Amino acid sequence: MSVGTALEQLLRLIHRRAMKLAMLPEDERDSHYDRIRLSCCAAAEHIGQDPDQAAITANDMVEFVRALVGIIEMGSGPDHERSADQRSPVLPSGGQEHVTTRI
């Protein structure tokens, strides 16, 4: 698998997770962010980062997901209650795919 393909898959995974988190009330999100942090930290250590750098990487990833959730919330406007698969995706796919919104 190429680095580009791996990155694209990772971004899609993060986008899906952010969409699901955006559907949750804010007070229910922290445990999900904690799991993302732990998973990212373990993955970073697995690929050779020292524990301190892995923790920084994991925190950066959580902040990135939080920012995506904020973007999704802003983009969903007053109809924030729609389900995740009814909203338009926020992340572009490099213009190679056409995305439609289900209504």
Side-chain angles (χ1 to χ4, degrees):
M1 175 184 305
S2 72
V3 172
T5 301
L7 180 58
E8 184 177 333
Q9 288 180 356
L10 178 61
L11 289 173
R12 286 178 195 233
L13 175 106
I14 292 167
H15 179 247
R16 284 192 305 268
R17 179 68 64 94
M19 292 293 285
K20 289 177 183 177
L21 285 169
M23 298 304 297
L24 295 175
E26 285 188 44
D27 61 346
E28 293 180 19
R29 296 177 186 169
D30 285 341
S31 64
H32 295 272
Y33 290 129
D34 289 342
R35 281 184 273 181
I36 292 169
R37 183 176 289 106
L38 289 172
S39 176
C40 289
C41 191
E45 287 183 24
H46 181 74
I47 63 167
Q49 284 189 351
D50 66 75
D52 291 337
Q53 185 60 43
I56 292 168
T57 299
N59 285 331
D60 289 346
M61 184 61 72
V62 169
E63 291 309 309
F64 180 70
V65 174
R66 284 182 191 271
L68 279 178
V69 169
I71 292 167
I72 292 165
E73 288 179 328
M74 293 296 293
S76 61
D79 57 352
H80 179 67
E81 298 302 316
R82 292 192 298 169
S83 68
D85 59 353
Q86 290 177 316
R87 291 192 199 145
S88 298
V90 174
L91 295 177
S93 62
Q96 296 176 342
E97 296 178 4
H98 290 57
V99 178
T100 58
T101 302
R102 289 187 237 158
I103 297 177

